[in-house]
Amino acid sequence: MRSLSLLIALLVSTSTLAFKRDSFKTCDQSGFCRRGRTLSARAEAASESWQSPYYIDPSSILRDPTDAFFTATVKSTIYPHIQFALEVRAHEDGVIRVQMDELARLRRHYDEAASWALVRDPPLSTSARTRWLVGEKETRTRYGSQGTTFEVVVQYNPLKVTTYLNGEEQVVLNGRGLLHMEHFRTKDTQSAQIEGAEAQQVPLQVNGAAWFEGEEQDAWWEETWLTWTDSKPKGPESLSLDITFPNHPHVYGIPEHATNMSLPSTTGPDAVYTDPYRLYNADVFEYLADSSVALYGAIPLMHAHGKKGTVAVFNAIGSDTWIDVGKKNGGTETHWISESGILDVFILPGPDPASVFSQYARLTGTPMLPPMYSLAYHQCRWNYVSSEDVRTVQRRFDEEDIPLDVIWLDIEYAEGHKYFMWDEKTFPDPVEMIADIEAKERKMVVIVDPHLKRESDYPVYNMASDLAVLVKPKSGEGEYEGWCWPGSSSWIDFFNPKSWELWVKLFKTKSVDGSWAWTQSSENVGIWNDMNEPSVFNGPEISMPRDNTHYGGWEHRDVHNINGMLFANQTYNALYHRSDPPKRPFVLTRAYYAGTQRFAAIWTGDNLGTWEHMAVGVKMVLSNGLAGMVFAGSDVGGFFGNPDPEMLVRWYGVGVFSPFFRAHAHIDTKRREPYLLDEPYKGMVKDMLRLRYAMLPIWYTAFKESSLTGIPILRPQYVMFPNDEQGFGIDDQFYLGSSGLLCKPVTTRGAISAAIYLSDAQVYYDYVSHTAYRPSTSKTTGRTVTVPAALHEIPLLIRGGSILATRERPRRSSPLMKHDPFTLRVALDIDGGAKGELYLDDGEGFGYQQGELVWRAFQASTTHLDGGKKAREIVVRSDDHAAAVPGMVSSSVPGNVFARTLEEADVRVERVVVIGVDARPVSVSVAEGEGDAGVLGLEWTYEAGDGEKAGVVTIKDPAVGITKDWAVVIRF
């Protein structure tokens, strides 16, 4: 949200501020990245004569008795006295894990990154289907089913790991010979000389290891950049690895970067960026809208896609990492360069997008199922200045009848930026203020940053200091002191288990045994974790020195990208234990790593109020979703700047179709709450917000699916149609879950129409006008259609074959909708069929884990009667989908208390809209339960179609319960 430049902004005009490239390193200014790229350049110059010095000693290979993995010793021809341990393991779902670490080392390489990212319960299982066959030159295994054959080949000399799908290469590790794990050495050790017969294996030998590592000890023991000097007591320990996707021209993921979803090249003749993509959680002020610069999150997961399938690699490493991407011969070459850590790569074999999402979810966990209110509209700015200001914002939303669920407070609520402590001058009655918000069935979210003011009257700092759970300086003694919003600050070390219990106590709203508690809060308050990269105003790259020390003696360089995730994880844990029974926590975090999806939502940080940032925000949300962070969004309106009414309205159109939907603004911007807009803009935004609220059941159902499968909430074209090559690079339109909704937000000024690409030969309908976009009878490949996109319109289509459940009654907040009736939109496909789902639970607790839920499956079909062409019927059915899901309790089971509450409240379907009906019906009836022949006399209307619009039957109040089995029969 903010950085050192913003602190200065309080003293000088904001007009002088912009992204400061010099505040962050380039690859050339980073010693380990420079070494890695130089290695790549030497290999490229040597061409075919280049060979990796790493090889497996065949006599060392040991197969596990279960035959699920094997181990071996890896040696290097340039350092014969150094040995590495290799383990290659196959998992039940076909995932291959490749680990390599140094043996008999002077020190440990950091090897705990995976333990923070992976799901610990249940434990990862190994595959009983694999059989490793040990040969003279390679070890291999083959497995698969239903016509899909995976194969893994581990070549000995030089070391290379290759995976295959049906005989086609998919992923190659060290195929270009760029693997290099810098072994530990003492500072006075000279460059090792190659000895004995092994020297004969080394090509291009110049002077010992110089042909491979270079002549100079480049930034091995110390590195100076600008005014900072980074001591490196462990010496050089970087890891270089090339990963090639020979048959995949598109790669996605490795968020967070402001760029296209299909990552542009950083090397080769067509390079778009001169620097590699960087994974280094950083507080980047006013970031560029098109750049490879590192931003707030770091997930080392890359998807690769092409006509021959989908694969992914998860490189479990927590240190600063640079990734070069290049295109070659219809495939993609990547080079990963990390500052520290072991080689720990998971190869996800696919072979399609859905399989990759499932495989990654089994490793790092599925996204959480968030509380329902968090999917609604959030209103924020830096800062609402007082408790009366908060009350005024709520009152103005109600006066204008604009829906709102959450009001946020930024850092100025806290006295001297001492979090958990209210500024009594501006917020004299926080408990009453929160109660006033909650009385309207709304929530508050309050910020808690990781820096603690070093002040003797600040209880939180004192408790953390007394427990000795604060990050230490490089000496390993005392407490690290840096500068952030409160001034002199220290940071809790969440790698220290003793800090976890402290954090739980801090969020308690009632004191236990006389200990300190946040009594001026409530059990419903959500928490915003910001600045957790960590952001340190007077530190290198606006962060913590890399030679600081954490629990276990690890340096900050080893854990930097994991650090921010632990802050959010422990905040989630604290909120979970805040109430009994627990309520679903809501946590928003700026910094994140693989696995954060289990605990928190994220936003794309300090964006600008520009059209370019609006557009790239859509791409960033899609990219985050591919990497598991499905609960994501960009600040509506831009954090900086004062968008004009047209831009603000368009940005609400983007926000309405973002999983996380929050308006936010910088302290120096003009107030821009939607009720301040003039007409017609205010009415446009109000209608868009009401559309979001009407569609909350669709969003919630999509989140439920994602929480079970890991599949993104917003799905790019290639995920929906993985065989349509024309859609592989599209990142400005997306599908919402499995609903069939296809949205293309407008992100350009002055637009009156939008071009939407359709991959399939299926009919699509405009959500509002019911205009039908029918496929050509002679064309089965993709096509582009032009749809209206005036300022009040969001280009939104329903794919034929979809059934949507919405709640159309306007309410001021989402909890007030829990007993509202539903409208079903049935969009018939070209064969007269459709299907959809609706998932419901109480939206706030964990009862759904014991089956307290309702999950309905809807289906429509068209049947010709007696073989005739005109005599036919359309049947729309509702069945209990929960009964078909393992572990779910049917809504018809008496023990399902939640289902019973809906029945007692008479929650029903009040309207059915059937789109794509080409003739006027003769009757409409409803049947409830098996064997019911149906009752005539339902009230309905028919709007005939024409050349453009589809015919529509609207059935008014069939009065069927949402928990019941029933069928509506339309006869012609």
Side-chain angles (χ1 to χ4, degrees), residues 865 870-876 914 917 919-926 933-942 953-955 967-972:
L865 304 176
K870 292 186 177 181
R872 69 186 193 280
E873 65 182 17
I874 299 173
V875 180
V876 182
V914 184
V917 180
R920 184 179 182 84
V922 296
S923 68
V924 178
S925 62
V926 62
V935 179
L936 299 179
L938 288 182
E939 186 178 352
W940 56 274
T941 61
Y942 175 65
V953 172
T954 301
I955 304 164
V968 170
V969 181
I970 305 171
R971 290 195 171 178
F972 301 86

Side-chain angles (χ1 to χ4, degrees), residues 213-383:
E213 289 189 326
E215 295 281 356
E216 300 180 0
Q217 296 185 9
D218 181 12
W220 278 16
W221 301 98
E222 186 177 88
E223 186 170 358
T224 298
W225 176 71
L226 300 180
T227 61
W228 292 280
T229 296
D230 175 21
S231 66
K232 299 182 179 181
K234 293 187 290 185
E237 53 174 326
S238 72
L239 175 66
S240 167
L241 176 67
D242 60 280
I243 305 176
T244 301
F245 308 97
N247 292 295
H248 302 82
H250 293 268
V251 291
Y252 318 101
I254 58 168
E256 185 174 40
H257 302 95
T259 187
N260 295 341
M261 183 187 70
S262 178
L263 297 169
S265 297
T266 61
T267 61
D270 299 323
V272 174
Y273 305 122
T274 57
D275 250 23
Y277 296 99
R278 189 183 185 191
L279 294 177
Y280 187 74
N281 293 352
D283 180 0
V284 184
F285 173 81
E286 288 195 345
Y287 61 83
L288 301 175
D290 185 7
S291 172
S292 63
V293 168
L295 294 179
Y296 311 95
I299 299 182
L301 172 74
M302 179 178 284
H303 293 241
H305 183 73
K307 290 186 294 184
K308 296 183 179 180
T310 313
V311 295
V313 291
F314 171 49
N315 187 7
I317 207 156
S319 64
D320 189 4
T321 298
W322 302 75
I323 306 166
D324 263 321
V325 173
K327 308 295 183 180
K328 188 173 182 180
N329 300 327
T332 304
E333 296 180 339
T334 70
H335 183 201
W336 302 60
I337 312 166
S338 300
E339 183 171 20
S340 66
I342 67 168
L343 190 155
D344 195 358
V345 173
F346 296 82
I347 301 174
L348 286 57
D352 50 53
S355 297
V356 168
F357 295 130
S358 178
Q359 290 154 5
Y360 181 68
R362 279 193 285 271
L363 289 174
T364 67
T366 56
M368 62 177 178
L369 180 62
M372 172 67 86
Y373 79 83
S374 65
L375 307 186
Y377 177 60
H378 301 248
Q379 182 64 52
C380 183
R381 73 174 281 108
W382 178 26
N383 206 84

Side-chain angles (χ1 to χ4, degrees), residues 880-932:
D880 189 0
H881 180 62
V885 179
M888 296 298 175
V889 178
S890 170
S891 58
S892 62
V893 173
N896 189 335
V897 177
F898 174 73
R900 193 163 63 246
T901 62
L902 297 189
E903 293 169 3
E904 292 171 352
D906 191 27
V907 178
R908 68 191 193 283
V909 175
E910 70 171 353
R911 186 170 57 156
V912 179
V913 181
V914 184
I915 309 167
V917 180
D918 59 5
R920 184 179 182 84
V922 296
S923 68
V924 178
S925 62
V926 62
E928 292 188 286
E930 189 174 348
D932 190 335

Side-chain angles (χ1 to χ4, degrees), residues 1-3 6 255-257 282-284 287 295-298 368 378 380-382 408-411 445-450 485 527-533 535 564 567-568 586-592 596 600-608 616-618 620-621 624 629-640 651 658-666:
M1 184 188 67
R2 298 158 290 258
S3 65
L6 277 179
E256 185 174 40
H257 302 95
D283 180 0
V284 184
Y287 61 83
L295 294 179
Y296 311 95
M368 62 177 178
H378 301 248
C380 183
R381 73 174 281 108
W382 178 26
W408 292 55
L409 286 178
D410 212 313
I411 60 175
V445 171
V446 177
I447 199 168
V448 175
D449 285 351
W485 293 118
I527 299 298
W528 175 12
N529 288 159
D530 195 6
M531 311 294 282
N532 51 328
E533 291 74 27
S535 177
F567 183 46
F586 173 74
V587 178
L588 181 77
T589 180
R590 191 170 71 176
Y592 54 96
T596 301
I602 61 109
W603 87 108
T604 62
D606 293 355
N607 59 347
L608 280 68
V616 80
V618 174
M620 293 169 72
V621 170
N624 272 295
M629 291 305 308
V630 304
F631 199 2
S634 296
D635 282 339
V636 169
F639 181 60
F640 297 104
W651 216 314
S658 298
F660 176 59
F661 181 18
R662 180 182 75 161
H664 185 38
H666 184 273

Side-chain angles (χ1 to χ4, degrees), residues 566-741:
L566 295 193
F567 183 46
N569 291 6
Q570 291 308 317
T571 298
Y572 180 97
N573 182 55
L575 299 191
Y576 179 89
H577 288 95
R578 184 175 54 183
S579 57
D580 186 16
K583 299 176 181 178
R584 270 178 260 172
F586 173 74
V587 178
L588 181 77
T589 180
R590 191 170 71 176
Y592 54 96
Y593 182 69
T596 301
Q597 70 270 12
R598 305 194 300 266
F599 307 102
I602 61 109
W603 87 108
T604 62
D606 293 355
N607 59 347
L608 280 68
T610 66
W611 293 97
E612 293 80 8
H613 273 261
M614 188 193 309
V616 80
V618 174
K619 302 176 183 185
M620 293 169 72
V621 170
L622 291 177
S623 294
N624 272 295
L626 297 179
M629 291 305 308
V630 304
F631 199 2
S634 296
D635 282 339
V636 169
F639 181 60
F640 297 104
N642 297 298
D644 60 31
E646 180 189 0
M647 181 187 295
L648 191 57
V649 171
R650 288 300 193 193
W651 216 314
Y652 271 94
V654 171
V656 163
F657 283 95
S658 298
F660 176 59
F661 181 18
R662 180 182 75 161
H664 185 38
H666 184 273
I667 196 169
D668 291 331
T669 63
K670 298 177 182 178
R671 296 288 283 258
R672 45 172 136 109
E673 290 78 8
Y675 53 73
L676 295 175
L677 286 167
D678 294 329
E679 294 293 359
Y681 309 109
K682 178 166 59 178
M684 293 177 183
V685 170
K686 182 176 178 179
D687 288 344
M688 290 177 180
L689 286 169
R690 285 185 170 178
L691 177 63
R692 171 67 171 221
Y693 276 71
M695 288 186 170
L696 284 177
I698 300 172
W699 285 97
Y700 200 57
T701 301
F703 268 92
K704 179 61 178 179
E705 182 181 6
S706 184
S707 74
L708 294 175
T709 66
I711 196 164
I713 304 296
L714 302 187
R715 302 179 188 175
Q717 203 73 17
Y718 92 90
V719 172
M720 296 294 293
F721 302 98
N723 297 317
D724 180 14
E725 195 170 6
Q726 297 179 66
F728 292 173
I730 293 178
D731 56 9
D732 59 357
Q733 63 181 55
F734 48 81
Y735 288 80
L736 171 50
S738 298
S739 68
L741 285 171

Side-chain angles (χ1 to χ4, degrees), residues 370-442:
M372 172 67 86
Y373 79 83
S374 65
L375 307 186
Y377 177 60
H378 301 248
Q379 182 64 52
C380 183
R381 73 174 281 108
W382 178 26
N383 206 84
Y384 290 122
V385 299
S386 67
S387 54
E388 284 310 305
D389 191 8
V390 170
R391 290 184 175 98
T392 298
V393 170
Q394 172 162 266
R395 176 176 55 81
R396 291 297 307 276
F397 268 90
D398 287 342
E399 288 174 350
E400 299 290 345
D401 199 20
I402 299 174
L404 169 69
D405 265 58
V406 192
I407 298 178
W408 292 55
L409 286 178
D410 212 313
I411 60 175
E412 309 305 333
Y413 83 91
E415 176 193 347
H417 301 144
K418 292 179 288 188
Y419 308 106
F420 303 97
M421 300 183 68
W422 296 86
D423 188 328
E424 295 182 357
K425 294 180 181 178
T426 51
F427 293 90
D429 57 346
V431 174
E432 292 80 5
M433 175 193 68
I434 295 171
D436 288 346
I437 300 301
E438 294 180 356
K440 294 292 186 73
E441 294 285 0
R442 295 192 174 107

